[in-house]
Amino acid sequence: MKTAIYSAAAALTLAVAPTAHAQSTDHGWTGPFVGIQGGWEENSVRNPNNAITMTPLTQSSDTGTVGVFTGYDKEVAPRIVVGAQAELNFPIDSRFGNGFAEINPKRSVDLSLRAGYLVQPKTLVYVRGGYSNGLYGSDVGAIHTSTDRNGWLLGGGVERKLTDKVSARVEYRYTDLSEGNGKFDRHQVLLGVAYRF
């Protein structure tokens, strides 16, 4: 986790630092974009429900995650940008458990809105909120189930334009996927690169 925090801090420093050779043909922040992202993810559970009953497991697990995203931003006022984003993420080697009960995060689909402030013409500081759906396998003894968990996410980050069409971002995100009894939380630090049309 310390490595992820140090990496995010370094990326944030680079994102905020002025770019001496930035192109002067910037068309602003309005328009569609696509991108890739990856980073650190921690899943933390306390006896979460599964498709049949309850998974008797209290544990946290760190892993990596990779994904793709697409969306649209609009500069609605001087220095104010709002946008919507859809994304698909896949955790890497994420199965964890205690020998009797295991949980296997498989993928997540996130739909979110963000609102940001341009601290510089090419640097956007923003907050994000929205909906998350995660697909998780659960093993209790010899019983295997697969469950779609619905929840909400909240986070924030910094995005910096590197050229007119390419930007880089670093973002922290908290997701609550608890349903019914028990607890299921996810923390992420994501680094991403976007291409703007």
Side-chain angles (χ1 to χ4, degrees):
M1 180 174 175
K2 287 183 179 179
T3 301
I5 292 172
Y6 294 151
S7 299
L12 179 60
T13 301
L14 291 173
V16 176
T19 304
H21 58 277
Q23 295 183 6
S24 60
T25 57
D26 196 345
H27 298 301
W29 289 80
T30 296
F33 59 85
V34 296
I36 58 174
Q37 64 187 8
W40 164 83
E41 175 176 308
E42 179 191 68
N43 290 286
S44 180
V45 301
R46 186 177 69 246
N47 300 327
N49 288 347
N50 57 43
I52 298 175
T53 178
M54 180 261 292
T55 305
L57 180 63
T58 299
Q59 191 173 335
S60 295
S61 177
D62 296 304
T63 186
T65 186
V66 295
V68 294
F69 58 85
T70 185
Y72 187 91
D73 284 329
K74 184 170 179 60
E75 203 165 336
V76 295
R79 294 186 175 268
I80 304 299
V81 176
V82 298
Q85 179 172 295
E87 62 193 86
L88 178 63
N89 297 299
F90 298 94
I92 303 168
D93 190 25
S94 55
R95 180 183 293 270
F96 63 98
N98 57 18
F100 174 72
E102 289 188 336
I103 289 178
N104 183 20
K106 296 180 178 180
R107 64 103 182 107
S108 70
V109 176
D110 297 338
L111 305 173
S112 62
L113 301 175
R114 74 172 178 175
Y117 180 78
L118 291 167
V119 295
Q120 298 176 356
K122 294 180 181 293
T123 304
L124 179 70
V125 177
Y126 61 89
V127 294
R128 181 185 305 283
Y131 163 80
S132 182
N133 172 271
L135 178 62
Y136 293 87
S138 177
D139 294 296
V140 180
I143 301 173
H144 174 77
T145 62
S146 187
T147 305
D148 273 297
R149 305 189 71 88
N150 298 298
W152 54 269
L153 65 89
L154 186 65
V158 177
E159 186 165 354
R160 170 79 179 179
K161 278 197 169 186
L162 306 178
T163 71
D164 185 23
K165 293 187 176 295
V166 178
S167 62
R169 62 169 71 166
V170 57
E171 180 175 330
Y172 166 77
R173 190 179 299 178
Y174 168 76
T175 306
D176 188 340
L177 293 163
S178 305
E179 291 185 330
N181 297 323
K183 194 70 176 172
F184 202 120
D185 296 334
R186 184 177 69 208
H187 297 270
Q188 294 169 308
V189 176
L190 301 171
L191 306 177
V193 176
Y195 181 84
R196 298 178 169 275
F197 297 96

